[in-house]
Amino acid sequence: MDLDFTVAIPVYNGAQRLPHVLDHLQRQVEDGAIQWEILVIDNNSTDDTAAVVRQIQAQWTSSVPLQYLQEPRQGITYARQRAVNAAKGRYVGFLDDDTPPAADWVIAACRFGDAYPQAGAWGGQVQAEFEVPPPPDLGMARAMLAVRNYSDTPKPFVPEKLQLPPGAGLVIRRQAWLAVIPDRLHRNQRGGNDYEISLRLHQAGWQIWYNPAMKITHRIPARRLEKSYLASLARLHGLCTCELRMLTAKPWTRPLILIRSFLGGVKKLTWHLIRYRTRITATTSAACEWSFFLGNAASPFYYLRNAIARTLKLS
């Protein structure tokens, strides 16, 4: 039977975090006109994730089906693809095991998809719930933690500027995914994978939207607020910028993108040095900016290395 919506939760060692998300899903506002399901995709967890899901299934009181699936191929790309292939919903909404949704998240996602048939993917508000008080100077690190409030009203994202929704809370039109998304994306890790989905849909003519009525909370533990962790995350995001821009680039523009990415990164590093002098990584914000610009400058070489590796693998 076809359904309206599928909630897909890729999980790796989420035994401690997953029950909170499932509890929020069990308490979703009911709408008899919307038929939906929940899929937990276990991506080779080594903890008690499977046992925890079985225990929750045994005590499940909702009429919404809760299924447990395994994906042996390691990587978020494979887990998401497994979810879409198994989904019965017209729309598939991705949650992480640390992103409990608001009580009306499913309804808001479905209504938006029905109202905006040109949308291939849409995301919503991501609010932060910090385990400990965050540094006062988070700056661009908020974006690295997928904390977003893009607009107070529905608004299209700007893929050309890499203004796109994060994977946590992302909803896709299943027919669009099946027609456009390859079985293996270039980015098979967190950090760029989310954007690649939206960019490929956009390239095929689908619009990417922001829906503020959809709200989730990102529960952020203390270790993810450490400067070293955030700087490492910023560098990862910087490294994949060139590769992401290449996805929708015309062939004749690709050499220009390589040059502009490198020179742009160097320019930003130079201005950062002028601005902070001997304190380039003194604050969390400064450390994240410096790491992102380093990754940005190195992103053309990172792209070329990955492109050569893929070519050799296919030959």
Side-chain angles (χ1 to χ4, degrees):
M1 180 181 69
D2 291 336
L3 303 177
D4 298 295
F5 198 80
T6 296
V7 177
I9 313 173
V11 178
Y12 176 72
N13 290 348
Q16 298 298 317
R17 300 177 298 274
L18 184 60
H20 188 68
V21 175
L22 292 176
D23 180 59
H24 275 67
L25 287 170
Q26 190 165 209
R27 292 188 279 115
Q28 286 288 296
V29 175
E30 291 292 335
D31 183 338
I34 296 176
Q35 302 297 314
W36 59 291
E37 64 178 349
I38 303 168
L39 305 180
V40 175
I41 304 90
D42 188 345
N43 198 196
N44 294 323
S45 295
T46 58
D47 65 355
D48 295 329
T49 292
V52 166
V53 176
R54 284 196 295 269
Q55 182 179 7
I56 293 174
Q57 285 175 317
Q59 301 169 351
W60 194 250
T61 59
S62 172
S63 60
V64 176
L66 170 62
Q67 298 184 55
Y68 171 84
L69 304 173
Q70 288 185 312
E71 174 48 62
R73 297 174 297 174
Q74 196 68 50
I76 187 67
T77 290
Y78 296 124
R80 286 176 173 157
Q81 187 69 59
R82 177 79 168 92
V84 174
N85 288 341
K88 296 178 181 177
R90 292 182 293 122
Y91 310 130
V92 179
F94 296 107
L95 293 174
D96 291 342
D97 58 24
D98 57 0
T99 56
D104 60 348
W105 185 75
V106 169
I107 289 177
C110 278
R111 288 177 177 171
F112 188 88
D114 292 343
Y116 291 81
Q118 74 277 29
W122 51 101
Q125 290 190 50
V126 184
Q127 303 166 339
E129 181 183 305
F130 297 106
E131 184 181 40
V132 298
D137 60 331
L138 270 181
M140 72 179 301
R142 285 187 175 273
M144 304 300 165
L145 293 169
V147 179
R148 303 288 172 85
N149 186 2
Y150 189 57
S151 172
D152 294 332
T153 58
K155 179 180 178 180
F157 283 98
V158 186
E160 293 81 7
K161 296 182 179 180
L162 295 186
Q163 292 178 4
L164 294 164
L170 181 69
V171 180
I172 58 96
R173 197 175 298 272
R174 185 169 179 266
Q175 71 177 78
W177 177 296
L178 293 176
V180 172
I181 305 299
D183 185 55
R184 169 142 189 199
L185 296 169
H186 288 175
R187 304 291 307 163
N188 195 31
Q189 316 85 11
R190 297 187 186 276
N193 171 269
D194 310 341
Y195 281 17
E196 184 177 352
I197 293 169
S198 292
L199 284 170
R200 288 187 180 275
L201 290 170
H202 171 70
Q203 187 179 32
W206 293 95
Q207 295 180 2
I208 313 300
W209 277 79
Y210 175 78
N211 174 22
M214 290 162 42
K215 300 175 183 177
I216 64 172
T217 299
H218 186 192
R219 307 182 79 192
I220 302 172
R223 62 181 177 81
R224 291 191 180 181
L225 294 174
E226 295 173 2
K227 189 198 304 184
S228 59
Y229 173 85
L230 291 171
S232 175
L233 194 60
R235 183 174 181 274
L236 177 62
H237 280 262
L239 278 173
C240 68
T241 52
C242 187
E243 190 167 32
L244 291 172
R245 292 187 186 281
M246 291 294 189
L247 289 174
T248 55
K250 294 180 173 60
W252 66 268
T253 66
R254 289 174 181 171
L256 296 176
I257 292 175
L258 290 172
I259 295 170
R260 289 176 60 185
S261 294
F262 173 71
L263 293 179
V266 170
K267 179 181 177 180
K268 291 172 184 175
L269 287 170
T270 302
W271 279 113
H272 192 86
L273 282 168
I274 294 172
R275 178 184 178 188
Y276 289 100
R277 299 182 185 274
T278 59
R279 295 173 54 81
I280 57 174
T281 61
T283 66
T284 300
S285 179
C288 287
E289 289 178 13
W290 179 252
S291 295
F292 180 81
F293 299 153
L294 280 173
N296 204 181
S299 65
F301 307 101
Y302 183 74
Y303 163 76
L304 290 171
R305 187 197 71 177
N306 288 345
I308 292 170
R310 283 192 293 269
T311 301
L312 291 176
K313 188 173 182 179
L314 292 173
S315 61

